[in-house]
Amino acid sequence: MHQEDIDVIDTDEPQPTDIVVAGEQRPDQLHVMPVQNRPFFPAQVMPVLIKSGDWSDTLKAVGETEHKMLALFYSEDFDHSEGKFNPQTLPQTGCVVRVHQVKEGDDGDIQFIAEGIERVHIDSWESTSHPYLANVSYPETEQDSEGKEVKAYAMALINAIKELLPINPLLSEELKDYLNRFGPNEPSPLTDFGAAITTAPGPLLQEVVDQVALLPRMEKTLALLKKELDAARLHSEIAEEVNRKISKHEREFFLREQLKVIQKELGVAKDDKTADLEEFQARMQGKTLPEAVEKKFKEEMQKFSVLESGSPEYAVSRNYLDWISQMPWGISSTDKLELSQARTILDKHHDGLDDVKDRILEFLALGAFKGEISGSIILLVGPPGVGKTSIGRSIAECLDRPFYRFSVGGMRDEAEIKGHRRTYIGAMPGKLVQALKEAEVMNPVIMLDEIDKMGSSYQGDPASALLETLDPEQNVNFLDHYLDLRLDLSKVLFVCTANTLDSIPAPLLDRMDVIHLSGYLAEEKLAIAKHHLWPKQLKRAGVKRSQLKITDAAMKKVVVDYCREAGVRSLDKALAKLVRKSVVKLLQEPQQKLSLGLKAIPELLGPAKFKAEQTLCGTGIVTGLAWTSMGGATLPVEANSIHQQSRGLKLTGQLGDVMKESAEIAFSFVSSHLSQYGVEEGYFDKRFVHLHVPEGATPKDGPSAGITMSTALLSLAMGQAPKQHLAMTGEITLNGYVLAVGGIREKLIAAKRQGIKEVLLPEECSGDYQELPDHVKEGLKVHFVSHFDQVAKLAFD
């Protein structure tokens, strides 16, 4: 017979009522059966299943006795499948049970109900083969339930059992059986019951069975119950922790699925696909779809309706329909083309920049006259911090159009502009489609920031991709790779920004209407600081205007001595620093009111970064004017004779190739025309001349310093210093003709900042000069020259 263990199971069989009490009907001989997994206790009533037919003889012999009793002994190594065991391996103490309702199944298994009675010892063996029979004795157990210690242990056992019952509700049935057989004041059965309901290993439980004395047995049982409680609590805590870790998303998912089932049963809801189809269809209501778009939408809807939700193509098709249905097909905002309101908005947001405002108003006036603004691409070019991005926002506000800005600086992938094809995983439309979706109209103002800083890589050239986007002749049928549909971008107003024009490809630049923004004068910066930057910093810090003020003189000192760049970004940072340091003082004395004057500026900002500039003057020294990406700058040029041993020219000052060529042309011209200016012909034949352009290691290049270098060399040869407070710009030829240069506004602003009173400009730049606003021209005496003879007369009287 095969027996792996004796299973303890619940049963609904009626329990016997003829309970045998210890001391009654004690036979001297009992049949013996070993149990494997755990010992049997006197307080238990449990079914026992034996998967072997070899023990049927033993159970038949027990059935033939009057008492129907059997001795069960725990044997850790015993295997019922062998049917035999070594009697010497049995423990000292076992349990007498009364056998009820023996049943033998068709497969040879035997089941009976064992009712535990009391402990038993084996004195000797009558039979060591089936059926096993032994002479037994019964150890006497203390029944003193009145002792203090016994009562205390009994209360502890009862409390431990009470704590264990809610954690393991299956024990309640065993407790009912126990209470049916024993009274509340019987500590010995209580102790055995407490040990029986634990999951302790067999050897530890056998120690409780072997312990006949009551108090030591209660100690052992209480220890086992405490371990069981600790393990049960730990298991409960782990289960609670796991339940807590189920995320909100998972809970919502299960609730949502249940809700779907309920709604489906009630007929008040549709599945996800049907809901999506209805939503896509609803989004298209009220939109004017081009014929190709409508055809593509219907095809994709038909395809989506037959796809299974588990199909890989399902998500791709759904995302495509999601994008195409959110595009604002045929929806446009109405432009506000009132020039007076536009002027008010521009003046409100920007101080200075009058020429730029006038240029924008001209642009708006053309749209107002025509009735619409379309096919326009504005390029705002200027140094950092002069307000290019904010002007783009102001244009959108003037027109009352949605504004969308994205930076193309550093962009290397043309898919950012034209989108990815749907065959790629994670494909998305380009930025322009995203802009139209967010703006919800087909004619927003889209700003392409830092267009001069685009790159190119193996993934494509985004600058070339922009050609189709920004060309008014082509963007009527702009094709996005993801949508694979033609979009009309002709109604979009594109505003681009750049610091320089040099790095913008010529074909792209040709499609733009360029508006130059040069730097600000000190007076303009002062107005910007008072009207915009200072209130913004106070608001950001949460400081009231009455608590912190700054005088106009102090503000001008910040502008002149600390922030001389073309834009106002560093001025904004300097004002923020003033506010931060002032807030520290306000926190120390909350009731005080601060007013920042001239003396407070060096204390808060440190020593001035720019001293009062003195124009270099003397023989061989001339001030030139140059343009940089940061605005205009003065450029002093120095010439000196090192020795008279040989002819030569040395150039220093981080000059580029163009500047070096200008220096060589100037040296050749002056050397060959000395006699015209009253200097002996061979002055430079035996002199080694050093020509230097200061400003440290700052690279300088550009065709604008020819006459400046020529004047410095002529001053050296004549031994006469040129006029003070004089600056000049212009390129020279080998025959002395003066050529036009660019950046006139920036150069004149730099001259005024430097304190220059008189400026020489090429004759061909007179038109650029006439377009400048009056406040730039004011205070400057400008001479237009076409040949170096005029330069020499004006520079040396």
Side-chain angles (χ1 to χ4, degrees):
M1 299 203 317
H2 180 70
Q3 162 81 12
E4 291 185 357
D5 56 4
I6 295 179
D7 298 323
V8 179
I9 59 174
D10 287 331
T11 181
D12 293 330
E13 300 276 356
Q15 298 300 319
T17 55
D18 51 339
I19 305 301
V20 177
V21 181
E24 297 181 3
Q25 300 180 3
R26 290 180 168 179
D28 295 330
Q29 290 183 342
L30 286 174
H31 290 89
V32 177
M33 180 182 291
V35 290
Q36 184 179 9
N37 284 343
R38 51 189 285 134
F40 210 91
F41 282 88
Q44 283 183 288
V45 177
M46 285 289 172
V48 177
L49 179 65
I50 302 173
K51 296 183 178 181
S52 173
D54 290 348
W55 294 97
S56 59
D57 295 341
T58 302
L59 291 175
K60 285 180 181 179
V62 170
E64 293 173 354
T65 62
E66 293 182 7
H67 49 73
K68 304 293 189 296
M69 292 182 184
L70 174 68
L72 296 180
F73 281 81
Y74 170 68
S75 177
E76 185 176 3
D77 301 326
F78 173 68
D79 187 357
H80 277 84
S81 62
E82 297 180 359
K84 295 183 179 181
F85 66 95
N86 184 2
Q88 304 302 322
T89 62
L90 293 183
Q92 177 187 2
T93 308
C95 179
V96 177
V97 299
R98 173 163 289 177
V99 177
H100 299 275
Q101 300 179 3
V102 179
K103 295 180 181 179
E104 186 170 355
D106 296 336
D107 53 357
D109 293 346
I110 301 174
Q111 179 178 309
F112 64 91
I113 295 176
E115 173 194 352
I117 299 175
E118 62 177 315
R119 284 169 173 73
V120 65
H121 289 169
I122 295 177
D123 296 333
S124 61
W125 289 91
E126 288 291 326
S127 172
T128 56
S129 60
H130 287 288
Y132 291 92
L133 185 65
N135 297 314
V136 298
S137 60
Y138 303 90
E140 294 296 330
T141 302
E142 301 176 23
Q143 296 296 331
D144 181 13
S145 60
E146 301 300 327
K148 292 183 179 179
E149 287 186 77
V150 172
K151 283 188 176 181
Y153 272 109
M155 290 301 298
L157 289 172
I158 291 170
N159 289 335
I161 293 170
K162 283 182 179 179
E163 291 183 44
L164 200 56
L165 280 175
I167 300 175
N168 188 358
L170 295 176
L171 302 178
S172 59
E173 291 298 323
E174 294 188 42
L175 182 61
K176 288 179 183 177
D177 294 336
Y178 167 78
L179 292 176
N180 286 334
R181 301 174 60 227
F182 302 101
N185 296 321
E186 296 184 65
S188 181
L190 175 65
T191 306
D192 291 338
F193 173 72
I197 63 175
T198 66
T199 57
L204 290 180
L205 294 175
Q206 183 60 42
E207 291 181 10
V208 178
V209 175
D210 290 339
Q211 189 60 253
V212 179
L214 184 57
L215 276 176
R217 178 158 35 108
M218 296 180 89
E219 289 179 6
K220 290 180 181 293
T221 300
L222 187 58
L224 293 179
L225 281 171
K226 291 296 183 185
K227 286 183 180 178
E228 190 77 11
L229 268 175
D230 292 341
R233 287 194 189 107
L234 180 60
H235 180 271
S236 178
E237 290 174 3
I238 291 173
E240 290 177 5
E241 184 67 24
V242 170
N243 290 334
R244 277 197 299 269
K245 286 184 178 180
I246 296 177
S247 67
K248 180 182 177 182
H249 176 74
E250 291 172 326
R251 290 198 299 271
E252 288 180 353
F253 172 78
F254 289 122
L255 291 172
R256 202 173 286 116
E257 290 300 316
Q258 290 176 352
L259 182 61
K260 286 179 184 177
V261 174
I262 294 171
Q263 290 176 334
K264 194 172 181 180
E265 289 294 326
L266 295 174
V268 296
K270 305 174 181 68
D271 60 7
D272 289 343
K273 187 197 296 184
T274 306
D276 287 339
L277 286 169
E278 291 183 357
E279 182 181 359
F280 297 148
Q281 198 68 50
R283 287 178 184 173
M284 287 299 193
Q285 299 300 322
K287 295 180 180 179
T288 306
L289 274 65
E291 185 179 345
V293 175
E294 187 173 4
K295 179 180 178 183
K296 183 70 173 178
F297 179 70
K298 288 181 178 178
E299 290 175 356
E300 201 67 29
M301 287 284 283
Q302 179 64 29
K303 174 184 171 184
F304 181 69
S305 64
V306 298
L307 285 174
E308 292 294 332
S309 59
S311 169
E313 188 70 17
Y314 181 87
V316 176
S317 183
R318 187 193 181 284
N319 289 340
Y320 180 76
L321 285 169
D322 188 42
W323 275 102
I324 198 174
S325 62
Q326 291 188 80
M327 293 298 294
W329 304 105
I331 300 176
S332 298
S333 63
T334 304
D335 291 336
K336 289 184 178 179
L337 298 172
E338 299 178 9
L339 296 187
S340 58
Q341 183 182 2
R343 167 64 78 175
T344 303
I345 292 173
L346 290 171
D347 289 339
K348 174 184 176 183
H349 294 310
H350 305 278
D351 283 298
L353 302 177
D354 290 333
D355 54 338
V356 178
K357 293 177 186 176
D358 292 340
R359 179 68 186 81
I360 293 172
L361 287 174
E362 292 170 9
F363 168 76
L364 296 177
L366 186 63
F369 188 82
K370 182 182 177 182
E372 64 172 354
I373 293 178
S374 61
S376 302
I377 298 95
I378 298 174
L379 174 60
L380 302 173
V381 182
V386 295
K388 299 184 293 297
T389 304
S390 58
I391 285 178
R393 294 184 186 276
S394 298
I395 293 173
E397 187 175 343
C398 291
L399 294 172
D400 195 24
R401 288 190 183 186
F403 179 79
Y404 185 89
R405 172 194 170 273
F406 68 93
S407 176
V408 295
M411 185 181 292
R412 293 179 175 272
D413 187 358
E414 71 171 27
E416 293 281 340
I417 301 295
K418 306 190 73 173
H420 305 82
R421 298 197 182 278
R422 278 195 288 163
T423 52
Y424 298 115
I425 296 175
M428 286 187 65
K431 288 284 188 182
L432 296 170
V433 171
Q434 296 178 38
L436 294 178
K437 172 192 169 187
E438 186 167 321
E440 297 181 350
V441 293
M442 292 298 287
N443 62 338
V445 175
I446 297 179
M447 171 165 280
L448 309 178
D449 229 346
E450 310 291 352
I451 201 170
D452 58 327
K453 298 178 179 62
M454 278 190 298
S456 60
S457 68
Y458 67 93
Q459 293 171 312
D461 183 4
S464 300
L466 278 177
L467 294 177
E468 180 188 357
T469 307
L470 300 182
D471 191 341
E473 300 297 327
Q474 298 182 47
N475 62 14
V476 178
N477 292 313
F478 173 77
L479 179 65
D480 182 85
H481 290 159
Y482 180 83
L483 294 183
D484 200 22
L485 294 170
R486 298 287 176 179
L487 295 169
D488 183 4
L489 299 182
S490 61
K491 306 295 184 185
V492 176
L493 174 58
F494 290 99
V495 180
C496 308
T497 70
N499 296 133
T500 66
L501 299 177
D502 302 340
S503 57
I504 302 177
L508 186 59
L509 185 62
D510 184 54
R511 288 162 168 79
M512 302 179 185
D513 190 0
V514 180
I515 299 178
H516 290 276
L517 285 79
S518 52
Y520 297 104
L521 297 173
E523 293 77 11
E524 293 174 328
K525 282 190 175 183
L526 185 61
I528 293 170
K530 289 172 61 177
H531 299 153
H532 302 285
L533 303 182
W534 183 252
K536 182 183 75 173
Q537 292 298 338
L538 291 179
K539 183 178 179 181
R540 184 178 293 175
V543 180
K544 297 179 181 177
R545 292 194 179 191
S546 59
Q547 292 178 286
L548 180 61
K549 297 181 179 179
I550 184 170
T551 64
D552 290 350
M555 186 78 81
K556 188 169 184 180
K557 183 176 180 64
V558 175
V559 171
V560 175
D561 292 351
Y562 294 87
C563 310
R564 287 192 185 177
E565 84 290 354
V568 293
R569 215 165 260 149
S570 66
L571 176 59
D572 193 28
K573 293 178 182 177
L575 296 179
K577 188 175 182 180
L578 289 176
V579 172
R580 287 199 308 270
K581 290 184 176 292
S582 301
V583 166
V584 175
K585 295 182 179 180
L586 290 174
L587 285 175
Q588 295 171 351
E589 299 180 28
Q591 303 303 321
Q592 70 172 330
K593 296 183 178 180
L594 292 179
S595 179
L596 304 180
L598 282 173
K599 293 183 180 179
I601 302 303
E603 296 176 4
L604 299 176
L605 296 183
K609 295 180 180 179
F610 301 94
K611 304 296 181 184
E613 294 187 7
Q614 296 180 355
T615 305
L616 298 178
C617 59
T619 303
I621 303 176
V622 181
T623 301
L625 298 175
W627 178 92
T628 68
S629 62
M630 301 294 289
T634 57
L635 204 65
V637 177
E638 298 176 317
N640 200 358
S641 176
I642 300 176
H643 58 75
Q644 300 182 16
Q645 298 175 4
S646 63
R647 175 186 175 90
L649 177 64
K650 181 179 181 180
L651 303 174
T652 55
Q654 280 285 320
L655 304 180
D657 292 338
V658 177
M659 290 279 281
K660 289 177 181 178
E661 290 181 1
S662 296
E664 291 171 358
I665 293 171
F667 186 63
S668 298
F669 169 76
V670 175
S671 298
S672 59
H673 294 80
L674 285 174
S675 59
Q676 297 180 20
Y677 306 111
V679 183
E680 59 176 318
E681 281 286 345
Y683 180 82
F684 288 113
D685 291 347
K686 294 184 179 181
R687 280 179 170 80
F688 192 87
V689 178
H690 186 172
L691 193 66
H692 176 60
V693 183
E695 297 296 325
T698 304
K700 292 167 280 290
D701 199 15
S704 62
I707 63 173
T708 311
M709 294 176 176
S710 300
T711 306
L713 291 169
L714 182 59
S715 172
L716 174 65
M718 294 173 62
Q720 179 183 348
K723 284 183 183 178
Q724 290 190 6
H725 307 295
L726 172 72
M728 61 187 70
T729 180
E731 193 53 65
I732 193 171
T733 68
L734 280 173
N735 291 312
Y737 293 103
V738 180
L739 302 179
V741 293
I744 298 300
R745 174 179 172 131
E746 289 85 352
K747 291 175 179 179
L748 292 182
I749 289 175
K752 291 190 69 172
R753 192 185 299 131
Q754 185 75 7
I756 301 295
K757 306 295 184 185
E758 201 169 348
V759 177
L760 305 184
L761 297 178
E763 181 74 39
E764 296 180 21
C765 294
S766 60
D768 296 338
Y769 175 77
Q770 297 301 328
E771 293 180 357
L772 296 179
D774 293 337
H775 69 272
V776 176
K777 303 176 186 177
E778 186 180 352
L780 285 177
K781 185 177 182 181
V782 179
H783 303 277
F784 296 100
V785 295
S786 59
H787 195 275
F788 186 74
D789 292 346
Q790 297 169 281
V791 176
K793 287 180 182 179
L794 292 168
F796 300 103
D797 294 327

